[in-house]
Amino acid sequence: MRIVYFSVDRDEDKWLPGLRAALPGADVSLWEPGSAAADYAIVWKPPQQLLNEQTRLKAIFNTGAGVDALMKLNLPDGVPLIRLDDAGMAVQMAEYVCHALIRHFREFDAYEADTRAGKWSYRKPLSRADFPVGIMGLGVLGARVARAVAQFDFPVNGWSQSVKALPGVQCFAGRTQLSDFLAASRVLVCLLPLTADTQGILNHAHLSHLQSGGYVINVARGAHLVDADLLALIDSGHLSGATLDVFRTEPLPAEHLFWTHPKITVTPHTSARTLRSESIAQIAGKLVALARGDVVAGVVDRAHGY
Ligand code: NDP
Ligand code: OXD
């Protein structure tokens, strides 16, 4: 079995030894223009040239959860595209979102400013009943985040494409229930895949439906958010701030207003990192299962784009 690996991050020195160790019978090599035909490709943001040249692929593995970069390419018909399915990302996402939520709800930034100024002062405790959390996307990551947030006794709403029933979560589905979902939420967490349907979904019209004092946590993709709309709604006072991990351009350009806005926290696309050993183990396991003819999880539905 021949496998080619390529990542735009040029981290093959770290991935190739792990893949070779996990798949001892396979010939695993870095894809370069003109590489011999392989059975499987393991990729992150590959060039179109890889897909054009590799015409015998039986499956393409994406070393991330989001396949939006791959979906922009001209993909070979009938070749399954398989994404990472948790692989250690869900717990990281739960930590990140709970941290951002609790930091906001418990006003830890204000406490920190006070204590740095040598002030010992109390703020009136807020009620978590007044901070319902709405999670857009109830997939592998969103469902894990919903469970973690519910454990802190926040009211939790969730929104997905298909109808769901999750314990402790008031579930909404489809565009017809989007405004009810938003109106029931004060803190909004975006964990949607980036598709034609979800691009720009965090816009003025939708964010205006959030309860007054709304707070946005975007951990999905930068293109879900209309940056100027977020800034306008924070400036108008309808929204109280945001924690943003993903941006339309990454790294976030030095001149972008998000860097210095006092009500916006920026992190460098780090909410849920791809963990190499977990990811290699998952991909190797699925590759062997596929080669045996078994069904594997995480196969992308090309029509839906995720
Ligand atoms: P899943 O495919 O498991 O879940 C996607 C969820 O979004 C599903 O619940 C799906 O609904 C819902 N959804 C999709 N389209 C729509 C729509 N048009 N309307 C309503 N709901 C919709 O993905 P993951 O949970 O694994 O990952 C989610 C995203 O998180 C990734 O695509 C990626 O962009 C981002 N990500 C970010 C990382 C970071 O470090 N910042 C790390 C990893 C991922 P249904 O269940 O009904 O299909
Ligand atoms: C992913 C990511 O999609 O790292 O896995 O953003």
Side-chain angles (χ1 to χ4, degrees):
M1 177 194 304
R2 204 178 126 67
I3 300 169
V4 284
Y5 174 83
F6 175 86
S7 164
V8 74
D9 298 335
R10 301 316 314 240
D11 53 4
E12 58 270 11
D13 55 323
K14 302 194 182 77
W15 279 75
L16 288 175
L19 286 167
R20 286 176 182 139
L23 293 158
D27 166 8
V28 190
S29 60
L30 174 67
W31 175 82
E32 285 167 311
S35 284
D39 303 295
Y40 299 96
I42 301 174
V43 295
W44 181 243
K45 300 186 181 171
Q48 180 65 50
Q49 190 182 357
L50 184 154
L51 300 172
N52 293 347
E53 288 185 9
Q54 290 293 322
T55 52
R56 288 212 335 244
L57 293 177
K58 295 180 187 145
I60 301 167
F61 289 87
N62 185 50
T63 63
V67 290
D68 42 295
L70 269 174
M71 295 303 295
K72 285 189 199 140
L73 300 178
N74 190 6
L75 294 164
D77 286 338
V79 178
L81 174 58
I82 299 154
R83 68 189 191 86
L84 283 185
D85 175 10
D86 188 344
M89 284 188 277
V91 70
Q92 297 179 69
M93 205 50 108
E95 283 164 356
Y96 183 99
V97 170
C98 288
H99 171 85
L101 166 67
I102 291 167
R103 177 177 166 193
H104 172 63
F105 167 65
R106 294 290 304 273
E107 305 184 275
F108 285 139
D109 285 347
Y111 275 110
E112 189 176 335
D114 282 355
T115 54
R116 283 197 187 281
K119 259 188 8 202
W120 181 280
S121 63
Y122 290 106
R123 307 174 77 81
K124 187 167 173 272
L126 300 171
S127 163
R128 62 198 67 225
D130 295 333
F131 283 76
V133 179
I135 299 166
M136 303 180 96
L138 291 175
V140 174
L141 303 182
R144 180 70 183 82
V145 168
R147 181 151 60 90
V149 169
Q151 278 180 344
F152 286 105
D153 293 347
F154 288 94
V156 183
N157 303 309
W159 184 68
S160 53
Q161 179 113 276
S162 57
V163 177
K164 300 219 185 290
L166 297 178
V169 182
Q170 191 184 352
C171 292
F172 298 80
R175 283 280 167 164
T176 52
Q177 295 185 359
L178 178 56
S179 34
D180 288 346
F181 159 77
L182 293 167
S185 307
R186 177 157 171 187
V187 176
L188 186 67
V189 178
C190 182
L191 267 168
L192 292 166
L194 183 64
T195 65
D197 270 357
T198 64
Q199 164 120 6
I201 196 163
L202 303 178
N203 57 30
H204 199 282
H206 290 147
L207 295 178
S208 299
H209 278 103
L210 288 177
Q211 295 177 2
S212 174
Y215 191 84
V216 175
I217 301 174
N218 188 18
V219 278
R221 288 289 184 262
H224 285 124
L225 177 67
V226 180
D227 297 3
D229 291 359
L230 175 76
L231 290 167
L233 285 162
I234 294 177
D235 290 348
S236 76
H238 180 65
L239 296 181
S240 56
T243 292
L244 306 174
D245 185 49
V246 287
F247 305 93
R248 284 179 178 260
T249 305
E250 295 182 1
L252 183 63
E255 66 284 2
H256 200 291
L257 295 175
F258 288 166
W259 278 115
T260 49
H261 197 293
K263 295 185 175 167
I264 295 179
T265 297
V266 165
T267 56
H269 199 139
T270 196
S271 51
R273 304 289 294 272
T274 294
L275 301 178
R276 203 165 45 249
S277 51
E278 282 87 338
S279 305
I280 287 174
Q282 183 175 109
I283 291 170
K286 287 184 182 179
L287 211 144
V288 169
L290 268 189
R292 245 191 344 248
D294 293 351
V295 174
V296 297
V299 178
V300 172
D301 177 337
R302 298 245 202 127
H304 282 131
Y306 68 95

